[in-house]
Amino acid sequence: MLRHEFHPGKLVAGLFLLAVAVVYAGDAGGAWDAPWFVALPLVMAGLFLAGVAAAIHGIRPRGAARPGRPSRDGTEERRERRE
């Protein structure tokens, strides 16, 4: 059961910012040498892809909930059998 709505844009942005943190942590730890300007393209690409993901998630059609699953308003939709 989901307790909150899924936001893929926030997920993508967070993953890219985490990647920037890993790059600079590796640089600080001496594992590799990362120039100071590496963060700018990574952050900009992450924000761009986060915007694309949020836009796609926002414009996709929202169909009726599946039978037996809760809908957006929290009520459970049931399908009656026709015989």
Side-chain angles (χ1 to χ4, degrees):
M1 172 197 310
L2 292 176
R3 295 179 186 239
H4 55 84
E5 188 176 342
F6 179 62
H7 298 281
K10 290 181 181 182
L11 175 66
V12 171
L15 289 175
F16 270 85
L17 291 174
L18 185 63
V20 171
V22 167
V23 166
Y24 280 116
D27 183 32
W32 55 77
D33 186 32
W36 63 270
F37 55 85
V38 168
L40 187 62
L42 278 175
V43 170
M44 295 306 290
L47 290 175
F48 175 74
L49 291 175
V52 169
I56 290 172
H57 181 72
I59 63 172
R60 68 181 169 85
R62 305 208 193 292
R66 293 185 199 156
R69 296 191 63 185
S71 63
R72 288 203 175 273
D73 60 358
T75 61
E76 192 171 298
E77 186 175 310
R78 296 178 190 246
R79 176 187 268 171
E80 294 182 22
R81 284 186 150 177
R82 294 182 184 178
E83 292 186 36

